[in-house]
Amino acid sequence: MRAERDELAVAERVFERLSEQLADERASAAPVPGQVGGRAVMLVPHREPGVEETMLPPDYRRILAAVRQAAGPVMAREVGEMLGVDISVRSKLEPLRGRLVRLTARG
């Protein structure tokens, strides 16, 4: 019984070390804000308790509203049509696709 207790104590210490390492890795993997006008900004904040949709720039709020109007999964082209983007020009659709990806990645 003593050997099992010792093994359990070792396992707990290993678990604590791994938990600390994982927490450190997550903290260091946090995105770095970009620079706009010499100031650090992050246009799409990560979803956390207390972060509301109103903190998003107006373009992102319009995108979210268009996605919510659709009753299911949507493609960038469909959202572009809802927002009045010229979907026949790929260079106008790609920035929208990037915004959709950013919103999805940040929850």
Side-chain angles (χ1 to χ4, degrees):
M1 194 150 143
R2 186 175 299 178
E4 288 179 7
R5 187 180 59 194
D6 291 342
E7 287 179 22
L8 182 58
V10 170
E12 287 176 342
R13 281 183 266 160
V14 169
F15 178 75
E16 288 174 10
R17 283 190 210 140
L18 290 175
S19 296
E20 290 171 6
Q21 287 176 352
L22 182 60
D24 291 343
E25 288 175 12
R26 285 183 179 163
S28 66
V32 178
Q35 291 277 328
V36 174
R39 294 184 338 185
V41 296
M42 182 174 291
L43 293 179
V44 181
H46 286 277
R47 185 173 187 151
E48 296 175 357
V51 174
E52 296 188 22
E53 186 178 311
T54 57
M55 297 182 75
L56 293 172
D59 290 344
Y60 286 91
R61 289 194 300 252
R62 286 182 45 223
I63 292 170
L64 278 176
V67 170
R68 286 189 179 127
Q69 281 180 348
V74 293
M75 299 190 65
R77 182 176 302 275
E78 296 169 13
V79 175
E81 287 175 351
M82 290 182 215
L83 296 176
V85 173
D86 184 4
I87 61 169
S88 64
V89 180
R90 187 176 183 144
S91 64
K92 302 225 179 198
L93 194 57
E94 286 305 314
L96 174 61
R97 183 172 284 121
R99 288 182 180 138
L100 286 165
V101 168
R102 237 175 268 125
L103 284 169
T104 302
R106 305 244 171 110

XYZ file of all heavy atoms in Angstrom:
820
model
N 0.819 -1.175 0.000
C 0.000 0.000 0.000
C 0.880 1.262 0.000
O 0.539 2.251 -0.640
C -0.894 -0.013 1.238
C -1.994 0.951 1.173
S -3.325 0.245 2.139
C -3.988 1.654 2.874
N 1.987 1.189 0.712
C 2.889 2.329 0.765
C 3.479 2.612 -0.627
O 3.598 3.773 -1.028
C 4.005 2.049 1.767
C 4.898 3.236 1.995
C 5.907 2.972 3.066
N 5.184 2.698 4.312
C 5.763 2.392 5.454
N 7.071 2.280 5.510
N 5.067 2.161 6.530
N 3.796 1.566 -1.382
C 4.359 1.736 -2.730
C 3.334 2.404 -3.656
O 3.681 3.280 -4.450
C 4.792 0.386 -3.294
N 2.090 2.002 -3.538
C 1.045 2.611 -4.354
C 0.852 4.083 -3.993
O 0.653 4.925 -4.859
C -0.265 1.849 -4.187
C -0.247 0.494 -4.846
C -1.545 -0.268 -4.647
O -2.518 0.308 -4.102
O -1.592 -1.441 -5.029
N 0.915 4.400 -2.717
C 0.789 5.787 -2.281
C 1.948 6.627 -2.816
O 1.759 7.750 -3.274
C 0.738 5.850 -0.756
C 0.439 7.247 -0.248
C 0.388 7.294 1.248
N 1.686 6.831 1.744
C 1.933 6.487 2.988
N 0.981 6.524 3.876
N 3.129 6.088 3.372
N 3.156 6.059 -2.799
C 4.318 6.771 -3.338
C 4.175 7.003 -4.845
O 4.503 8.073 -5.355
C 5.607 5.996 -3.044
C 5.945 5.987 -1.562
O 5.397 6.844 -0.820
O 6.742 5.122 -1.143
N 3.671 5.987 -5.560
C 3.450 6.136 -6.996
C 2.409 7.223 -7.276
O 2.539 8.009 -8.201
C 2.999 4.812 -7.613
C 4.095 3.785 -7.736
C 3.587 2.488 -8.332
O 2.541 2.502 -9.022
O 4.234 1.463 -8.108
N 1.376 7.263 -6.465
C 0.344 8.276 -6.616
C 0.915 9.681 -6.370
O 0.610 10.630 -7.103
C -0.813 8.005 -5.665
C -1.995 8.959 -5.740
C -2.589 8.971 -7.147
C -3.047 8.585 -4.719
N 1.757 9.827 -5.395
C 2.383 11.116 -5.098
C 3.251 11.566 -6.272
O 3.243 12.742 -6.658
C 3.215 11.024 -3.818
N 3.991 10.633 -6.867
C 4.822 10.957 -8.029
C 3.939 11.365 -9.202
O 4.209 12.349 -9.897
C 5.731 9.762 -8.406
C 6.404 9.985 -9.744
C 6.770 9.521 -7.316
N 2.866 10.640 -9.411
C 1.954 10.960 -10.514
C 1.333 12.353 -10.318
O 1.185 13.111 -11.278
C 0.862 9.907 -10.619
N 0.996 12.692 -9.086
C 0.438 14.023 -8.819
C 1.457 15.119 -9.127
O 1.115 16.153 -9.692
C -0.012 14.128 -7.359
C -1.277 13.359 -7.066
C -1.648 13.394 -5.598
O -0.788 13.714 -4.733
O -2.810 13.093 -5.296
N 2.718 14.899 -8.766
C 3.752 15.908 -9.069
C 3.952 16.047 -10.570
O 4.088 17.158 -11.083
C 5.062 15.538 -8.382
C 5.045 15.907 -6.903
C 6.358 15.607 -6.259
N 6.175 14.261 -5.704
C 7.123 13.427 -5.368
N 8.372 13.748 -5.541
N 6.852 12.258 -4.866
N 3.929 14.948 -11.292
C 4.072 14.999 -12.748
C 2.890 15.752 -13.352
O 3.061 16.607 -14.234
C 4.187 13.575 -13.345
C 4.060 13.601 -14.858
C 5.500 12.931 -12.927
N 1.703 15.463 -12.867
C 0.507 16.150 -13.356
C 0.597 17.656 -13.102
O 0.264 18.459 -13.965
C -0.739 15.565 -12.685
C -1.999 16.258 -13.091
C -2.554 16.042 -14.342
C -2.634 17.135 -12.217
C -3.720 16.690 -14.724
C -3.796 17.789 -12.593
C -4.341 17.560 -13.845
N 1.046 18.061 -11.921
C 1.187 19.482 -11.603
C 2.179 20.160 -12.545
O 1.930 21.262 -13.035
C 1.627 19.663 -10.152
C 0.536 19.357 -9.149
C 1.048 19.408 -7.714
O 2.192 19.855 -7.481
O 0.292 18.990 -6.822
N 3.320 19.503 -12.800
C 4.319 20.077 -13.719
C 3.764 20.223 -15.121
O 3.953 21.244 -15.769
C 5.578 19.202 -13.744
C 6.448 19.378 -12.551
C 7.780 18.685 -12.754
N 8.279 18.265 -11.463
C 8.891 17.131 -11.212
N 9.118 16.279 -12.185
N 9.307 16.840 -10.007
N 3.074 19.188 -15.601
C 2.492 19.259 -16.939
C 1.424 20.344 -17.033
O 1.330 21.050 -18.033
C 1.912 17.900 -17.342
C 2.935 16.799 -17.620
C 2.221 15.468 -17.884
C 3.809 17.165 -18.797
N 0.634 20.490 -15.979
C -0.392 21.535 -15.960
C 0.249 22.917 -16.024
O -0.226 23.803 -16.739
C -1.247 21.425 -14.704
O -1.957 20.216 -14.702
N 1.325 23.115 -15.275
C 2.030 24.397 -15.303
C 2.622 24.667 -16.680
O 2.531 25.790 -17.190
C 3.135 24.417 -14.252
C 2.618 24.456 -12.828
C 3.722 24.267 -11.803
O 4.911 24.219 -12.193
O 3.403 24.167 -10.606
N 3.226 23.644 -17.286
C 3.809 23.812 -18.615
C 2.730 24.161 -19.637
O 2.922 25.037 -20.477
C 4.536 22.547 -19.060
C 5.832 22.309 -18.346
C 6.470 20.984 -18.767
O 5.869 20.191 -19.479
N 7.691 20.746 -18.303
N 1.599 23.501 -19.557
C 0.510 23.767 -20.481
C -0.016 25.191 -20.306
O -0.273 25.890 -21.280
C -0.616 22.756 -20.277
C -1.817 22.876 -21.207
C -1.372 22.709 -22.662
C -2.856 21.834 -20.858
N -0.152 25.628 -19.064
C -0.609 26.996 -18.804
C 0.388 28.007 -19.362
O -0.003 29.023 -19.955
C -0.808 27.209 -17.306
N 1.678 27.747 -19.206
C 2.703 28.646 -19.750
C 2.642 28.685 -21.270
O 2.766 29.749 -21.874
C 4.103 28.212 -19.303
C 4.329 28.428 -17.814
O 3.555 29.204 -17.193
O 5.277 27.815 -17.266
N 2.457 27.517 -21.900
C 2.369 27.462 -23.356
C 1.157 28.222 -23.862
O 1.230 28.938 -24.847
C 2.319 26.011 -23.832
C 3.623 25.278 -23.703
C 3.497 23.812 -24.073
O 2.454 23.413 -24.649
O 4.442 23.054 -23.796
N 0.041 28.083 -23.192
C -1.173 28.803 -23.608
C -0.987 30.303 -23.475
O -1.424 31.071 -24.313
C -2.369 28.354 -22.796
C -2.880 27.000 -23.195
C -4.114 26.623 -22.410
N -4.594 25.313 -22.841
C -5.430 24.583 -22.150
N -5.903 25.027 -20.998
N -5.814 23.418 -22.601
N -0.341 30.726 -22.403
C -0.125 32.160 -22.199
C 0.817 32.727 -23.260
O 0.615 33.829 -23.761
C 0.447 32.405 -20.805
N 1.834 31.952 -23.635
C 2.782 32.455 -24.631
C 2.219 32.364 -26.044
O 2.694 33.038 -26.943
C 4.103 31.688 -24.550
O 3.911 30.339 -24.928
N 1.179 31.558 -26.249
C 0.583 31.414 -27.580
C -0.504 32.444 -27.839
O -1.091 32.459 -28.907
C 0.005 30.005 -27.746
N -0.764 33.316 -26.887
C -1.792 34.339 -27.078
C -1.395 35.231 -28.239
O -0.228 35.567 -28.410
C -1.953 35.157 -25.804
N -2.355 35.614 -29.064
C -2.027 36.428 -30.230
C -1.511 37.803 -29.825
O -1.912 38.359 -28.813
C -3.355 36.546 -30.974
C -4.387 36.270 -29.950
C -3.768 35.351 -28.942
N -0.611 38.301 -30.630
C -0.039 39.614 -30.395
C -0.847 40.626 -31.201
O -1.065 40.437 -32.391
C 1.440 39.632 -30.841
C 2.030 41.003 -30.642
C 2.220 38.575 -30.092
N -1.304 41.703 -30.572
C -2.075 42.693 -31.315
C -1.242 43.335 -32.416
O -0.032 43.438 -32.308
C -2.456 43.730 -30.254
C -2.170 43.107 -28.944
C -1.159 42.028 -29.177
N -1.939 43.776 -33.468
C -1.273 44.452 -34.566
C -1.050 45.917 -34.252
O -1.398 46.398 -33.170
N -0.454 46.626 -35.188
C -0.197 48.052 -35.026
C -1.039 48.833 -36.030
O -1.007 48.542 -37.211
C 1.282 48.352 -35.285
C 2.214 47.810 -34.234
C 2.315 48.743 -33.047
O 2.211 49.939 -33.190
N 2.507 48.179 -31.880
N -1.777 49.807 -35.555
C -2.530 50.707 -36.414
C -2.276 52.117 -35.900
O -2.591 52.424 -34.758
C -4.040 50.397 -36.407
C -4.809 51.443 -37.187
C -4.307 49.010 -36.956
N -1.700 52.938 -36.738
C -1.417 54.310 -36.320
C -0.481 54.381 -35.129
O -0.592 55.273 -34.313
N 0.419 53.400 -35.026
C 1.372 53.390 -33.921
C 0.828 52.848 -32.623
O 1.525 52.817 -31.620
N -0.436 52.408 -32.618
C -1.037 51.850 -31.409
C -1.284 50.366 -31.582
O -1.605 49.903 -32.669
C -2.377 52.519 -31.117
C -2.278 53.962 -30.757
C -3.607 54.534 -30.379
N -4.715 53.748 -30.922
C -5.981 54.089 -30.806
N -6.312 55.170 -30.192
N -6.931 53.339 -31.316
N -1.160 49.628 -30.519
C -1.445 48.196 -30.558
C -2.953 47.991 -30.506
O -3.626 48.524 -29.635
C -0.781 47.490 -29.394
N -3.482 47.243 -31.476
C -4.915 46.978 -31.519
C -5.169 45.533 -31.915
O -4.354 44.905 -32.559
C -5.654 47.889 -32.532
C -5.558 49.337 -32.131
C -5.152 47.684 -33.925
N -6.312 45.031 -31.507
C -6.784 43.735 -31.963
C -8.240 43.954 -32.334
O -9.077 44.192 -31.475
C -6.647 42.676 -30.881
C -7.079 41.309 -31.359
S -6.760 40.023 -30.154
C -4.996 39.979 -30.187
N -8.527 43.927 -33.631
C -9.867 44.255 -34.088
C -10.909 43.253 -33.631
O -12.023 43.616 -33.311
C -9.898 44.368 -35.614
C -9.112 45.535 -36.186
C -9.191 45.521 -37.704
C -9.644 46.850 -35.664
N -10.558 41.991 -33.617
C -11.511 40.972 -33.194
C -10.975 40.346 -31.910
O -10.078 39.515 -31.947
C -11.696 39.890 -34.278
C -12.712 38.859 -33.816
C -12.107 40.511 -35.585
N -11.509 40.763 -30.766
C -10.998 40.213 -29.508
C -11.374 38.748 -29.363
O -12.344 38.283 -29.957
C -11.702 41.061 -28.450
C -12.929 41.557 -29.110
C -12.591 41.691 -30.572
N -10.607 38.023 -28.572
C -10.936 36.630 -28.293
C -12.172 36.585 -27.415
O -12.394 37.452 -26.585
C -9.775 35.931 -27.594
C -8.660 35.638 -28.519
N -8.642 34.539 -29.324
C -7.549 36.333 -28.817
C -7.557 34.544 -30.068
N -6.874 35.631 -29.774
N -12.960 35.564 -27.619
C -14.198 35.447 -26.856
C -13.866 35.058 -25.420
O -13.211 34.065 -25.169
C -15.100 34.405 -27.481
C -16.427 34.359 -26.786
C -17.372 33.456 -27.494
N -18.664 33.580 -26.882
C -19.782 33.398 -27.519
N -19.758 33.074 -28.769
N -20.920 33.512 -26.893
N -14.315 35.869 -24.514
C -14.127 35.633 -23.093
C -15.391 36.090 -22.389
O -16.165 36.870 -22.938
C -12.942 36.451 -22.562
C -11.612 36.061 -23.163
C -10.494 36.987 -22.702
O -10.772 37.956 -21.970
O -9.361 36.752 -23.087
N -15.602 35.645 -21.185
C -16.756 36.149 -20.442
C -16.660 37.670 -20.317
O -15.606 38.209 -20.008
C -16.640 35.470 -19.079
C -15.809 34.256 -19.325
C -14.879 34.626 -20.445
N -17.731 38.355 -20.602
C -17.736 39.809 -20.483
C -17.431 40.540 -21.778
O -17.653 41.732 -21.879
N -16.917 39.846 -22.793
C -16.648 40.485 -24.087
C -17.929 40.392 -24.905
O -18.430 39.308 -25.162
C -15.483 39.799 -24.828
C -15.316 40.380 -26.206
C -14.199 39.943 -24.039
N -18.441 41.543 -25.286
C -19.713 41.561 -25.996
C -19.513 41.897 -27.466
O -18.484 42.432 -27.868
C -20.645 42.573 -25.347
C -20.987 42.176 -23.917
C -22.066 43.055 -23.332
O -22.815 43.660 -24.103
O -22.155 43.108 -22.108
N -20.519 41.587 -28.233
C -20.495 41.838 -29.677
C -20.321 43.323 -29.992
O -19.763 43.684 -31.016
C -21.799 41.319 -30.273
C -21.871 41.370 -31.755
C -23.179 40.797 -32.251
O -23.560 39.698 -31.822
O -23.804 41.463 -33.087
N -20.757 44.174 -29.105
C -20.657 45.619 -29.336
C -19.209 46.097 -29.365
O -18.942 47.200 -29.833
C -21.428 46.398 -28.255
O -20.920 46.028 -26.974
C -22.904 46.112 -28.330
N -18.282 45.277 -28.894
C -16.867 45.648 -28.918
C -16.254 45.452 -30.308
O -15.156 45.918 -30.569
C -16.093 44.848 -27.880
C -16.542 45.137 -26.455
S -15.587 44.229 -25.251
C -14.074 45.155 -25.284
N -16.977 44.760 -31.181
C -16.478 44.524 -32.532
C -16.647 45.771 -33.395
O -17.576 46.548 -33.196
C -17.242 43.368 -33.185
C -17.037 41.984 -32.603
C -18.025 41.015 -33.235
C -15.620 41.520 -32.816
N -15.789 45.936 -34.400
C -15.974 47.031 -35.350
C -17.300 46.845 -36.104
O -17.815 45.733 -36.215
C -14.790 46.885 -36.308
C -13.781 46.091 -35.561
C -14.559 45.197 -34.648
N -17.877 47.918 -36.636
C -19.185 47.841 -37.309
C -19.243 46.814 -38.444
O -20.253 46.125 -38.601
C -19.395 49.254 -37.847
C -18.534 50.126 -37.004
C -17.379 49.282 -36.575
N -18.172 46.701 -39.237
C -18.174 45.722 -40.337
C -18.364 44.302 -39.818
O -19.095 43.509 -40.403
C -16.871 45.793 -41.138
C -16.767 47.060 -41.947
O -17.800 47.740 -42.131
O -15.657 47.375 -42.395
N -17.707 43.982 -38.715
C -17.817 42.641 -38.153
C -19.210 42.407 -37.576
O -19.742 41.304 -37.651
C -16.742 42.422 -37.082
C -15.370 42.231 -37.653
C -14.520 43.310 -37.858
C -14.923 40.969 -38.016
C -13.258 43.134 -38.390
C -13.662 40.779 -38.552
C -12.833 41.872 -38.734
O -11.587 41.684 -39.260
N -19.812 43.431 -36.997
C -21.175 43.284 -36.480
C -22.163 43.035 -37.616
O -23.090 42.231 -37.490
C -21.565 44.515 -35.670
C -20.827 44.593 -34.334
C -21.458 45.598 -33.411
N -21.456 46.932 -33.956
C -20.685 47.930 -33.530
N -19.850 47.726 -32.544
N -20.754 49.121 -34.086
N -21.964 43.701 -38.758
C -22.837 43.475 -39.927
C -22.675 42.039 -40.424
O -23.653 41.389 -40.806
C -22.488 44.464 -41.048
C -22.977 45.864 -40.769
C -22.680 46.848 -41.887
N -22.983 46.307 -43.199
C -22.191 46.461 -44.265
N -21.065 47.132 -44.176
N -22.538 45.959 -45.418
N -21.447 41.545 -40.441
C -21.196 40.165 -40.879
C -21.918 39.191 -39.948
O -22.578 38.252 -40.400
C -19.684 39.870 -40.939
C -19.034 40.671 -42.072
C -19.427 38.380 -41.106
C -17.518 40.645 -42.059
N -21.790 39.392 -38.638
C -22.472 38.512 -37.684
C -23.983 38.545 -37.875
O -24.641 37.509 -37.822
C -22.127 38.908 -36.250
C -20.812 38.390 -35.708
C -20.561 38.945 -34.315
C -20.793 36.880 -35.679
N -24.526 39.724 -38.120
C -25.974 39.836 -38.332
C -26.391 39.072 -39.586
O -27.423 38.379 -39.587
C -26.370 41.308 -38.451
N -25.591 39.156 -40.646
C -25.914 38.438 -41.885
C -25.849 36.929 -41.671
O -26.706 36.186 -42.165
C -24.955 38.859 -42.997
N -24.865 36.473 -40.927
C -24.740 35.033 -40.662
C -25.908 34.551 -39.810
O -26.448 33.469 -40.026
C -23.382 34.719 -39.991
C -23.331 33.295 -39.489
C -22.239 34.990 -40.965
N -26.328 35.363 -38.869
C -27.462 34.974 -38.016
C -28.768 34.934 -38.792
O -29.663 34.163 -38.452
C -27.567 35.927 -36.839
C -26.493 35.676 -35.815
C -26.721 36.474 -34.567
N -25.676 36.177 -33.614
C -24.922 37.094 -33.025
N -25.124 38.372 -33.271
N -23.992 36.736 -32.182
N -28.900 35.783 -39.823
C -30.124 35.770 -40.635
C -30.271 34.455 -41.384
O -31.379 33.975 -41.577
C -30.115 36.920 -41.645
C -30.490 38.242 -41.062
C -30.463 39.339 -42.113
O -29.954 39.154 -43.212
N -31.012 40.487 -41.769
N -29.169 33.906 -41.805
C -29.209 32.609 -42.487
C -29.533 31.554 -41.437
O -29.040 31.602 -40.325
C -27.875 32.318 -43.147
N -30.329 30.623 -41.799
C -30.774 29.623 -40.821
C -29.862 28.414 -40.779
O -30.304 27.312 -40.567
C -32.194 29.199 -41.143
N -28.575 28.598 -40.962
C -27.639 27.489 -40.916
C -26.278 27.927 -41.427
O -26.009 29.121 -41.541
N -25.441 26.967 -41.752
C -24.109 27.298 -42.256
C -24.194 28.100 -43.561
O -25.087 27.876 -44.378
C -23.465 25.936 -42.512
C -24.260 24.975 -41.710
C -25.645 25.535 -41.626
N -23.292 29.047 -43.722
C -23.276 29.874 -44.921
C -21.871 29.905 -45.514
O -20.891 29.678 -44.826
C -23.720 31.326 -44.633
C -25.164 31.380 -44.257
C -22.875 31.964 -43.556
N -21.822 30.196 -46.789
C -20.543 30.352 -47.472
C -20.255 31.844 -47.583
O -21.164 32.678 -47.504
C -20.600 29.698 -48.846
C -20.867 28.203 -48.750
S -20.664 27.333 -50.288
C -18.948 27.531 -50.613
N -18.996 32.184 -47.777
C -18.596 33.587 -47.867
C -19.365 34.299 -48.981
O -19.750 35.458 -48.842
C -17.091 33.686 -48.094
N -19.603 33.614 -50.071
C -20.327 34.205 -51.198
C -21.746 34.618 -50.778
O -22.225 35.694 -51.125
C -20.365 33.202 -52.349
C -21.044 33.684 -53.597
C -20.938 32.665 -54.711
N -19.572 32.316 -55.053
C -18.804 32.991 -55.898
N -19.285 34.063 -56.477
N -17.585 32.613 -56.164
N -22.413 33.769 -50.008
C -23.767 34.072 -49.549
C -23.775 35.285 -48.617
O -24.647 36.143 -48.716
C -24.362 32.867 -48.829
C -24.555 31.653 -49.718
C -24.880 30.401 -48.933
O -25.206 30.498 -47.723
O -24.808 29.316 -49.512
N -22.797 35.340 -47.708
C -22.709 36.487 -46.803
C -22.425 37.751 -47.613
O -22.994 38.807 -47.349
C -21.621 36.261 -45.732
C -21.445 37.495 -44.869
C -21.970 35.057 -44.866
N -21.559 37.632 -48.620
C -21.265 38.771 -49.484
C -22.507 39.293 -50.180
O -22.714 40.502 -50.280
N -23.347 38.388 -50.658
C -24.605 38.801 -51.299
C -25.491 39.550 -50.312
O -26.087 40.566 -50.643
C -25.349 37.580 -51.843
C -24.723 36.980 -53.066
C -25.413 35.691 -53.502
O -26.274 35.160 -52.747
O -25.095 35.209 -54.598
N -25.576 39.041 -49.085
C -26.400 39.689 -48.064
C -25.888 41.087 -47.725
O -26.673 41.977 -47.402
C -26.428 38.840 -46.789
C -27.191 37.553 -46.897
S -27.155 36.720 -45.285
C -27.080 35.025 -45.788
N -24.570 41.258 -47.782
C -23.972 42.542 -47.410
C -23.823 43.492 -48.595
O -23.376 44.620 -48.422
C -22.598 42.309 -46.772
C -22.596 41.535 -45.456
C -21.176 41.292 -44.996
C -23.386 42.281 -44.398
N -24.150 43.016 -49.796
C -24.041 43.873 -50.969
C -22.641 43.958 -51.544
O -22.317 44.906 -52.268
N -21.804 42.974 -51.268
C -20.446 42.929 -51.815
C -20.528 42.383 -53.241
O -21.307 41.466 -53.516
C -19.542 42.025 -50.941
C -18.176 41.828 -51.571
C -19.416 42.587 -49.547
N -19.724 42.941 -54.138
C -19.676 42.455 -55.518
C -18.980 41.099 -55.526
O -17.754 41.010 -55.537
C -18.924 43.445 -56.405
C -18.935 43.043 -57.867
O -19.585 42.032 -58.204
O -18.297 43.746 -58.670
N -19.772 40.020 -55.500
C -19.208 38.676 -55.372
C -18.597 38.159 -56.667
O -17.921 37.144 -56.664
C -20.253 37.671 -54.843
C -21.435 37.570 -55.791
C -20.694 38.052 -53.448
C -22.365 36.427 -55.488
N -18.828 38.848 -57.769
C -18.229 38.401 -59.028
C -16.744 38.744 -59.092
O -16.012 38.186 -59.892
C -18.962 39.026 -60.222
O -18.800 40.431 -60.202
N -16.303 39.641 -58.218
C -14.889 40.039 -58.173
C -14.255 39.366 -56.964
O -14.579 39.677 -55.817
C -14.755 41.578 -58.070
C -13.298 41.976 -58.021
C -15.473 42.249 -59.227
N -13.356 38.438 -57.225
C -12.747 37.652 -56.152
C -11.996 38.525 -55.145
O -11.999 38.270 -53.948
C -11.816 36.614 -56.753
C -11.277 35.666 -55.734
C -10.434 34.588 -56.365
N -10.006 33.672 -55.327
C -9.872 32.404 -55.488
N -10.114 31.863 -56.656
N -9.479 31.643 -54.504
N -11.360 39.596 -55.630
C -10.588 40.453 -54.735
C -11.474 41.198 -53.739
O -10.993 41.683 -52.730
C -9.761 41.454 -55.537
O -10.604 42.334 -56.244
N -12.756 41.272 -54.005
C -13.681 41.894 -53.049
C -14.242 40.861 -52.077
O -14.652 41.199 -50.971
C -14.827 42.572 -53.794
C -14.339 43.606 -54.763
C -15.133 44.830 -54.663
C -14.523 45.792 -55.674
N -14.880 47.125 -55.446
N -14.244 39.606 -52.487
C -14.794 38.548 -51.648
C -13.756 38.014 -50.651
O -14.112 37.618 -49.542
C -15.305 37.408 -52.538
C -16.193 36.366 -51.904
C -17.421 37.006 -51.273
C -16.613 35.350 -52.943
N -12.494 38.021 -51.012
C -11.449 37.466 -50.140
C -11.323 38.183 -48.801
O -11.164 37.532 -47.770
C -10.107 37.420 -50.866
C -10.022 36.328 -51.920
C -10.324 34.946 -51.390
O -9.797 34.574 -50.325
O -11.107 34.232 -52.038
N -11.379 39.533 -48.754
C -11.322 40.175 -47.434
C -12.490 39.755 -46.531
O -12.321 39.588 -45.325
C -11.387 41.670 -47.749
C -10.892 41.786 -49.153
C -11.333 40.523 -49.837
N -13.658 39.570 -47.125
C -14.811 39.104 -46.358
C -14.549 37.704 -45.831
O -14.827 37.403 -44.666
C -16.072 39.122 -47.218
C -17.321 38.529 -46.583
C -17.712 39.294 -45.328
C -18.454 38.499 -47.586
N -13.996 36.853 -46.668
C -13.675 35.487 -46.237
C -12.687 35.525 -45.071
O -12.821 34.787 -44.095
C -13.099 34.691 -47.410
C -12.823 33.242 -47.046
C -12.448 32.418 -48.261
N -13.661 32.147 -49.033
C -13.844 32.499 -50.299
N -12.897 33.110 -50.962
N -14.958 32.220 -50.925
N -11.705 36.418 -45.149
C -10.736 36.553 -44.062
C -11.401 36.992 -42.760
O -11.063 36.502 -41.677
N -12.346 37.900 -42.857
C -13.065 38.352 -41.660
C -13.898 37.216 -41.068
O -13.974 37.064 -39.849
C -13.946 39.540 -41.990
C -13.152 40.790 -42.245
C -14.051 41.960 -42.534
N -13.241 43.140 -42.764
C -13.471 44.022 -43.714
N -14.496 43.855 -44.537
N -12.693 45.065 -43.852
N -14.528 36.445 -41.939
C -15.309 35.301 -41.451
C -14.414 34.294 -40.731
O -14.774 33.768 -39.670
C -16.041 34.624 -42.612
C -17.249 35.373 -43.158
C -17.664 34.804 -44.505
C -18.393 35.332 -42.176
N -13.254 34.044 -41.302
C -12.313 33.107 -40.672
C -11.873 33.639 -39.308
O -11.803 32.903 -38.325
C -11.096 32.861 -41.593
C -9.980 32.149 -40.866
C -11.518 32.073 -42.833
N -11.577 34.936 -39.243
C -11.154 35.546 -37.986
C -12.250 35.434 -36.919
O -11.967 35.098 -35.762
C -10.809 37.020 -38.203
C -9.410 37.343 -37.793
C -9.030 38.776 -38.121
N -8.424 38.762 -39.455
C -8.824 39.497 -40.477
N -9.798 40.362 -40.342
N -8.234 39.409 -41.639
N -13.471 35.730 -37.310
C -14.578 35.626 -36.356
C -14.735 34.193 -35.859
O -14.971 33.954 -34.666
C -15.879 36.110 -37.004
C -16.028 37.613 -37.143
C -17.223 37.934 -38.026
C -16.172 38.272 -35.790
N -14.614 33.248 -36.777
C -14.744 31.842 -36.388
C -13.616 31.414 -35.469
O -13.844 30.754 -34.462
C -14.758 30.959 -37.653
O -15.823 31.371 -38.488
C -14.923 29.499 -37.296
N -12.395 31.817 -35.811
C -11.239 31.413 -35.014
C -11.279 31.999 -33.604
O -10.772 31.395 -32.662
C -9.956 31.858 -35.705
N -11.902 33.157 -33.462
C -11.919 33.811 -32.153
C -13.208 33.550 -31.381
O -13.460 34.154 -30.359
C -11.727 35.306 -32.346
C -10.470 35.615 -33.118
C -9.470 36.368 -32.332
N -8.218 36.457 -33.043
C -7.730 37.573 -33.561
N -8.377 38.704 -33.438
N -6.560 37.559 -34.177
N -14.030 32.653 -31.901
C -15.227 32.236 -31.167
C -16.361 33.208 -31.272
O -17.218 33.288 -30.451
